[in-house]
Amino acid sequence: MRPLAGISVVESASYISGPFAGLILADLGAEVVKVEPPRGDPYRRFGPQDDDGGVIFRAGNRNKRSIVIDLTREEGLAELHTLLEPADVLITNWRPGVAEAFGLDTESVPRRWPRLVWVRVSGYGQSGPMATLPAFDSLMQARVGFAESVGKDPALVPSYIADKVTATFAAQSALAALVQRNVSGRGCVVDVAMLDAFAYFDTPDLFAGHQQPGRADDRVLRMLRAPRAMQTADGWIVLAPTTGQQIKRAMLAAGLEDKLADLRSQPDPIATSERFFELLAPRVRERTAAEWTATFADADVPASAVMSKAEHVEDEQVVHNAIYRVVPDPALGNARRTRHPALFDGQPVETDDLPCPPLNVGVGGSATT
């Protein structure tokens, strides 16, 4: 099953938000050509490096082909135009104004390539007071109130979460535009700003307490902060009881039946949840994570040990779901790949399992000069 078989994508983007969108489409079966400047996507040189390049660049740019094009030269722009002739989707994450400098704008592109879906990923949008400013993940975590919500003191999540969320919406929007094209016969220009995407991502929980203008409902944030990882005798465990019965069963399983009256005396469900974790945390330290996991499973209480990545990939449900597979890789020998999470008629998406392309490899696989 290759849902996007026959779809051609040109990705002229750097770092994460644009390239991860390209990766999502590639994993769904699209043919993705990554256009890079002469020195390559600067993300190749970002972060930990192996002999063959950046570790995190490699993780986000598999299943693509690469071609080096100098878009500052007329010959380079002509090469890009040639690539776009048969393309269905163009993904860029240039700052506003860069495309126009290349002669690409919202009037000329639809006129020359009427069926092309052009996805423009940006930090703050294509216009406005901050449109031309640099945008990075940590800045977005700060600007949408995400960092302020994480804990008592503002903190950053150690993940490029805003970039990845934006990429997911960019890929989703590209697919929506392709569906629209099937009806109208025409492509369109799709704009996805990191600021907009990350704010939308907050809608069902972190923003729920701010739906009424002029009023902030702190109960939502209190509810979200109440659960916590609890230390066991040899690790950590997380519980997620969501009903009164689950809370009661957890207390009984932990031998804290004498504390049930304490819980019942709390003024509201959020205070009950907060007090539940306060009471349970000292008791949980008395036994191992495996013992507690089994105990809570027997009591039908949602619980999980906190796993390392190494433990996660060996987890029996992860193995059953075949989330990962090991494939040959010219740089690594073998590489662990994460499959696209969707199953179609019960089957995973088939891909070409292309490795991360080395720099200076053209569309057909031959070296460029």
Side-chain angles (χ1 to χ4, degrees), residues 248 257 259-268 272 275:
K248 180 180 179 180
E257 55 271 10
K259 301 296 184 182
L260 288 173
D262 187 337
L263 285 186
R264 295 190 185 102
S265 69
Q266 299 304 311
D268 57 58
T272 299
R275 185 60 176 154

Side-chain angles (χ1 to χ4, degrees), residues 194-214:
M194 288 179 68
L195 183 66
D196 303 12
F198 205 38
Y200 188 91
F201 178 73
D202 273 358
T203 296
D205 49 20
L206 291 177
F207 194 73
H210 300 269
Q211 298 175 80
Q212 185 177 347

Side-chain angles (χ1 to χ4, degrees), residues 181-227:
R181 188 184 72 175
N182 286 340
V183 176
S184 68
R186 297 187 62 82
C188 64
V189 179
V190 179
D191 287 317
V192 182
M194 288 179 68
L195 183 66
D196 303 12
F198 205 38
Y200 188 91
F201 178 73
D202 273 358
T203 296
D205 49 20
L206 291 177
F207 194 73
H210 300 269
Q211 298 175 80
Q212 185 177 347
R215 177 175 179 263
D217 188 343
D218 67 347
R219 295 174 301 172
V220 175
L221 200 53
R222 281 182 56 212
M223 181 191 74
L224 293 171
R225 287 177 174 173

Side-chain angles (χ1 to χ4, degrees), residues 160-183:
Y160 298 127
I161 185 170
D163 280 306
K164 293 184 290 184
V165 166
T166 303
T168 302
F169 281 121
Q172 178 193 71
S173 300
L175 297 179
L178 290 175
V179 172
Q180 176 182 267
R181 188 184 72 175
N182 286 340
V183 176

Side-chain angles (χ1 to χ4, degrees), residues 257-319:
E257 55 271 10
D258 59 324
K259 301 296 184 182
L260 288 173
D262 187 337
L263 285 186
R264 295 190 185 102
S265 69
Q266 299 304 311
D268 57 58
I270 298 173
T272 299
S273 181
E274 292 170 333
R275 185 60 176 154
F276 167 80
F277 286 100
E278 291 172 359
L279 292 170
L280 204 63
R283 180 58 57 89
V284 166
R285 293 192 185 97
E286 299 174 4
R287 298 167 64 186
T288 67
E291 289 173 323
W292 281 121
T293 300
T295 296
F296 290 125
D298 290 341
D300 195 23
V301 175
S304 174
V306 175
M307 295 183 177
S308 66
K309 278 288 190 285
E311 291 168 328
H312 159 72
V313 297
E314 300 295 335
D315 179 68
E316 59 182 359
Q317 188 65 48
V318 171
V319 173

Side-chain angles (χ1 to χ4, degrees), residues 70-125:
D70 186 350
L71 296 179
T72 65
R73 301 169 59 89
E74 288 188 12
E75 298 89 340
L77 290 175
E79 289 182 72
L80 176 64
H81 292 173
T82 300
L83 281 179
L84 293 179
E85 289 297 336
D88 297 288
V89 178
L90 167 64
I91 300 173
T92 62
N93 63 354
W94 304 322
R95 286 199 210 179
V98 172
E100 289 77 6
F102 293 153
L104 303 174
D105 55 57
T106 55
E107 293 183 1
S108 63
V109 169
R111 185 168 57 246
R112 180 163 184 176
W113 300 284
R115 290 180 56 79
L116 182 69
V117 171
W118 181 11
V119 180
R120 302 190 299 180
V121 178
S122 63
Y124 299 103

